[in-house]
Amino acid sequence: MDDAASRATELATGAGGFVGSDRRTSNDRRSEAHLTLRVPAEKFSQAVDGLAKLGTEERRALSTEDVTEAVIDLDARIQSQRASVARTRALLGQANNLGEIVSIEAELAKREGELAALEARKRRLADLTALSTVTVHLLGPDAEAPKEREPGFLAGIAAGWGAFLGAMQILLTVLGFLLPFMVVTGLPVLLLIWLLRRRRPGRVSPPPPVHAGAPAPQPPAP
């Protein structure tokens, strides 16, 4: 697996690109590598075909994004912001007192910051159009390929059941952690309650009520 990952890295750099990230895992049970490669757009297909020959290809997914409209809109905003910065600089040169200078300089700094952010975004878009991103997941001979779950009712049940089992495992872990504390603190409390009940005097039954019109009870004759 490490040999295939090294060859994938060489393939990207040989095409004029570079490695964006490289994460590898290797132990007794499995070995795998997750690479993010950036290659020139004109060599994208060649790079993908070369990567497919590093082993047995299990899955391939390609996607594209059209950023033409975003680039056109960004160019217009940059042009407008540059004109705004130029006008603010002209006003700064015409300021007559310290208050006007401070106010115009603050506005100029704000507009220059907005212009810098737009230009940085344009460079990012230029990078996306010049370089293509290739994500490679390499698995060793003993590793199992990740399974994709298709959307649907059964997939929802499986996901819900998995979440339920995970929640129950967390709950049992918490209970197992708290159980020793509950035993140590609960037994003395129960013993104290039992002793208090044992020491409590018995209740005295109240005398029977006397009803109106009924003769009062006479004491027994000697």
Side-chain angles (χ1 to χ4, degrees), residues 19-64:
V19 179
S21 66
D22 186 344
R23 300 193 305 271
R24 306 187 190 188
T25 302
S26 180
N27 50 44
D28 297 337
R29 295 176 298 175
R30 64 173 186 173
S31 59
E32 60 180 292
H34 191 87
L35 308 175
T36 301
L37 310 177
R38 301 298 306 279
V39 297
E42 63 273 10
K43 297 183 179 180
F44 172 76
S45 298
Q46 179 182 353
V48 171
D49 293 337
L51 292 171
K53 298 177 182 179
L54 297 179
T56 302
E57 185 178 13
E58 297 286 345
R59 189 180 303 112
R60 179 189 296 193
L62 302 177
S63 63
T64 59

